[in-house]
Amino acid sequence: MTREARVNEAFAGLTESLIGPGYDTVEFLHRLTEVCTALSGTAGTGLVVADRRGELRDIAYSNDRVRRLEALQIAIGEGPCLDCHRTGEQVVVRDLDRAGARWPRFVPRALDLGFRSVRAVPLRLDGRVVGALNVFDVHPGIEPGEDGPDVLKPLADLAVIALLQRRYGREQTAAEEISASPADRTAIERAKGVLAEAGGLDMDGAFDALRDHARRSGTGVADAARALVEGRIDPAAVLTD
């Protein structure tokens, strides 16, 4: 299958999930980061979105290594996703080894995690920048769309549509809907911790277990996470599933 065919198939699958029954924002955004990682041929993808106060929150990522790096940027106040959100321009750094002067605290940690290059694309809504889609690779030389269609910009647009999708039929502003996802993310992170401790799993494995349970039970990932954290679901039941 050609790369163009793979891109078309991936976008068709994402679009079908977006408009299909049982749509779940958290599940969709996690899948989008996985698709982005596969299509871009990179090592990981993360999504950050601004809350009502304009502060960035990490809401989706393809693996826990990316989650740690996104959380680090937000905590220290520097890095590609913050620059992208602040300027509204994409950020491309082909070799992080040479970006130490730009991000003196971020770069050493990124290199420690094995990342060597990054590209960040802004999320736009009504002419405003509301977040960023970020891809990281373990090799230097990341390029925008170097071997075919550039998938990051349309995937960033799909991410914004996904965040707005659950507004349908509700009296919420776009800003209120976008800022709801970080609360879901907090519940999921707590649930992952519960499952990791109970089952001796790493954080990626804990999320897989939570997502599988949500699929089988017909609930959203965030709803399943809240039920687990609140004690309405036994961790053993999720791990047994």
Side-chain angles (χ1 to χ4, degrees), residues 194-195 198 213 224 227-241:
V194 170
L195 292 174
H213 174 80
L228 181 64
V229 170
E230 294 168 4
R232 291 183 281 118
I233 298 177
D234 188 335
V238 176
L239 295 168
T240 301
D241 286 345

Side-chain angles (χ1 to χ4, degrees), residues 25-221:
T25 305
V26 173
E27 167 71 14
F28 179 87
L29 292 176
H30 183 81
R31 183 180 173 194
L32 185 146
T33 63
E34 293 177 330
V35 167
C36 184
T37 299
L39 292 181
S40 63
T42 52
T45 302
L47 275 167
V48 295
V49 171
D51 62 18
R52 298 180 193 183
R53 297 175 296 179
E55 297 178 358
L56 288 179
R57 307 279 182 158
D58 55 305
I59 63 168
Y61 35 81
S62 58
N63 56 63
D64 194 63
R65 187 166 54 152
V66 170
R67 179 197 66 79
R68 285 184 282 162
L69 194 56
E70 297 284 42
L72 169 70
Q73 292 184 76
I74 294 169
I76 65 178
E78 69 174 43
C81 75
L82 276 79
D83 283 6
C84 180
H85 178 250
R86 186 181 303 117
T87 66
E89 302 292 335
Q90 75 165 322
V91 174
V92 180
V93 177
R94 294 173 176 83
D95 190 350
L96 282 168
D97 252 335
R98 302 182 178 183
R102 182 176 184 178
W103 303 311
R105 290 180 294 173
F106 168 78
V107 167
R109 296 291 294 277
L111 294 174
D112 285 346
L113 287 169
F115 295 116
R116 291 292 304 278
S117 54
V118 61
R119 181 181 172 205
V121 174
L123 305 182
R124 298 185 183 278
L125 174 67
D126 297 333
R128 296 177 296 109
V129 179
V130 296
L133 171 70
N134 316 292
V135 293
F136 303 91
D137 202 14
V138 295
H139 304 290
I142 195 168
E143 297 285 349
E146 60 179 346
D147 61 346
D150 184 9
V151 298
L152 265 63
K153 292 181 180 179
L155 283 172
D157 292 339
L158 266 183
V160 174
I161 293 171
L163 288 165
L164 298 178
Q165 174 78 347
R166 62 194 229 181
R167 281 183 62 208
Y168 185 76
R170 303 179 187 181
E171 296 299 323
Q172 287 178 292
T173 67
E176 287 171 337
E177 184 53 39
I178 286 176
S179 62
S181 285
D184 291 344
R185 197 73 254 172
T186 298
I188 290 169
E189 290 306 314
R190 293 179 61 192
K192 284 166 54 179
V194 170
L195 292 174
E197 182 176 356
L201 304 172
D202 62 20
M203 297 304 274
D204 288 335
F207 182 77
D208 288 342
L210 179 65
R211 183 167 61 165
D212 289 345
H213 174 80
R215 286 173 175 171
R216 282 190 291 269
S217 61
T219 62
V221 177

